[in-house]
Amino acid sequence: MNTLALGLWLANISLDTVGQLSFKAAAGDPDAGVGLARWKHMLARPWLWLGGGCYVVEFLVWIAFLSLVPLSDGVLLGSINIVVVMLAGRWLFGERLTPLRVTGMALVSLGVAIVGAT
């Protein structure tokens, strides 16, 4: 993988992670209320807009990344986002990492390492 593709891949991981964490922060606000009031509260918070902005930029970065690598490699390399989001969710929100999830993360990481090495 060339330097540009690597940079785009890392940008994609970062943008996806920040987007997911922002959506979680917006949706997990205990003061949000229920129903329509919850949506109004979330729409007024910067977290929802940050997440949406990250997803728009991530889409463009993803297209650029896929223009440089074969689709089969790109999709497999993109799977590492799952691992990064789960670790960040644990760190920021205290979410549980069960033995089964850790095993899954290890297998995804191994697969990404194998694809990245070829």
Side-chain angles (χ1 to χ4, degrees):
M1 183 172 3
N2 67 39
T3 306
L4 178 58
L6 178 62
L8 290 169
W9 180 56
L10 294 173
N12 176 268
I13 293 167
S14 299
L15 289 163
D16 184 62
T17 302
V18 171
Q20 291 282 355
L21 295 173
S22 296
F23 287 146
K24 175 67 176 178
D29 188 346
D31 299 328
V34 295
L36 185 58
R38 180 177 197 80
W39 280 99
K40 286 180 180 178
H41 180 81
M42 286 191 296
L43 287 169
R45 309 300 292 178
W47 294 117
L48 188 70
W49 299 103
L50 176 62
C54 284
Y55 271 34
V56 168
V57 177
E58 180 193 4
F59 171 75
L60 298 173
V61 169
W62 183 246
I63 297 287
F65 176 67
L66 289 180
S67 73
L68 300 174
V69 300
L71 179 61
S72 58
D73 291 350
V75 170
L76 288 171
L77 289 169
S79 298
I80 199 68
N81 291 1
I82 296 166
V83 174
V84 176
V85 168
M86 288 177 72
L87 290 172
R90 168 70 178 148
W91 179 56
L92 291 173
F93 299 112
E95 296 186 350
R96 291 188 60 224
L97 290 179
T98 64
L100 191 57
R101 288 181 183 177
V102 171
T103 301
M105 289 169 38
L107 291 172
V108 168
S109 299
L110 178 62
V112 170
I114 290 169
V115 170
T118 59

